[in-house]
Amino acid sequence: MSSSPLPEETQIPAEFALLAFDMEKYSRIPEARMESTRSDVDDIVASMLADCGLPDSQTLPHAYKDGGDGAILLFPPGVLARIIDPLLGRLSAALRRYDQQRLASSPLVRLRVAVHVGPVTGPELRSGNALVDVSRLLDSQAVRQALQSAADMGGFLAGVLSETAYQRCVHGGYTPELAPLHFAQATARVSDKPDYQALCHLHVPGMPGTAITPYLGEQLGPSSSGAGSSAEPGPSGAAASASQWGGIQFHAPLYGATVGGHIERVRNTYPHR
């Protein structure tokens, strides 16, 4: 006796690694410069994807979702770790080079980047909670505050990882240059979505998680000390970081894991007040 096929709704859709990016203050760019600036960003992203051995999602069927001021890119789930490390760091460095070479009259470009993994449904891959979740992470106050911390230190990119992506890749040990101390744990919230909140992990290339934490305020996660950040909310701004952590303040970006590791060790030697 042959068994009847399972209903389509009982089959779990295929998983994808999702990378979403959004340009800061895109709407403030003069209309005549919007297209050229966005094309520059697309070229930078495509170049860094190739540099990291990642496929160009624009060549994959239905794997590129343009949003005007950004896009959502879909990849095979096996490359999830590479989207975090080394892509985030290399993309940040490429944006820095772009800023050094741009004309003074050209718009400043900073990016928010979100990384997630989950099932995407439909023949054109345009449905599913994973697409909703990565969009909300990208729009969250937490990653906007992380980008402000990057801007104050001369950086051009802030990344936010979903809890799933973080656990699979960073906690799992698949990001050789990035450890938990390079992330600040937070709760992602969106101002016009009062029912939404999700645990997330913030990363600014060249900065330890503790340097992001003072910017977060109420966006801190429930146990952020385990993700390289403080569990105590601090005042906003770079000056707050200096006052809270013993007066050490940097006026240039920090590169690599070495300085960040030393900062974490020095901070932990201060007596509790």
Side-chain angles (χ1 to χ4, degrees), residues 1 13 25 91 98 109 186 205 228 264:
M1 180 177 177
K25 300 177 181 177
L91 186 54
Y98 176 82
V109 174
E264 183 67 18

Side-chain angles (χ1 to χ4, degrees), residues 38 42-43 46 49 55-64 66 73:
R38 174 59 198 275
D42 286 341
D43 289 345
L49 289 175
D56 183 352
S57 63
Q58 294 196 53
T59 65
L60 304 175
H62 312 302
Y64 186 90
D66 195 292
L73 288 61

Side-chain angles (χ1 to χ4, degrees), residues 97-108:
R97 291 191 296 270
Y98 176 82
D99 188 72
Q100 292 169 346
Q101 297 167 6
R102 70 180 175 90
L103 298 175
S105 58
S106 298
L108 177 71

Side-chain angles (χ1 to χ4, degrees), residues 16-34:
F16 289 87
L18 293 87
L19 171 73
F21 70 87
D22 185 274
M23 298 170 61
E24 181 191 43
K25 300 177 181 177
Y26 180 75
S27 62
R28 300 185 188 179
I29 297 175
E31 185 176 350
R33 306 298 298 270
M34 282 183 171

Side-chain angles (χ1 to χ4, degrees), residues 51-256:
D51 191 53
C52 295
L54 292 162
D56 183 352
S57 63
Q58 294 196 53
T59 65
L60 304 175
H62 312 302
Y64 186 90
K65 319 294 183 186
D66 195 292
D69 54 356
I72 301 176
L73 288 61
L74 276 59
F75 300 93
V79 303
L80 178 63
R82 264 187 287 163
I83 293 175
I84 301 168
D85 179 27
L87 180 61
L88 293 182
R90 294 186 187 182
L91 186 54
S92 176
L95 291 170
R96 183 179 304 281
R97 291 191 296 270
Y98 176 82
D99 188 72
Q100 292 169 346
Q101 297 167 6
R102 70 180 175 90
L103 298 175
S105 58
S106 298
L108 177 71
V109 174
R110 290 194 178 96
L111 295 184
R112 303 190 312 277
V113 179
V115 180
H116 185 38
V117 61
V120 181
T121 66
E124 295 185 356
L125 301 177
R126 60 182 184 181
S127 303
N129 289 335
L131 289 171
V132 174
D133 290 340
V134 77
S135 297
R136 289 183 176 175
L137 286 171
L138 188 66
D139 199 32
S140 68
Q141 293 301 314
V143 73
R144 292 176 185 274
Q145 291 164 336
L147 186 58
Q148 184 59 54
S149 76
D152 285 353
M153 300 300 284
F156 300 89
L157 180 145
V160 55
L161 276 57
S162 68
E163 172 70 359
T164 303
Y166 177 87
Q167 290 296 330
R168 289 189 185 182
C169 298
V170 181
H171 182 73
Y174 294 102
T175 53
E177 298 299 323
L178 295 180
L181 67 88
H182 298 108
F183 292 83
Q185 183 172 293
T187 299
R189 297 183 177 90
V190 180
S191 58
D192 61 348
K193 301 285 190 300
D195 295 332
Y196 170 77
Q197 65 176 37
L199 190 64
C200 67
H201 300 265
L202 303 164
H203 174 61
V204 172
M207 292 172 59
T210 50
I212 305 171
T213 300
Y215 288 79
L216 299 179
E218 295 181 356
Q219 310 302 327
L220 284 168
S223 57
S224 55
S225 59
S229 60
S230 169
E232 299 178 1
S236 298
S241 179
S243 63
Q244 187 175 3
W245 303 127
I248 301 175
Q249 185 173 2
F250 290 88
H251 296 279
L254 306 176
Y255 295 95

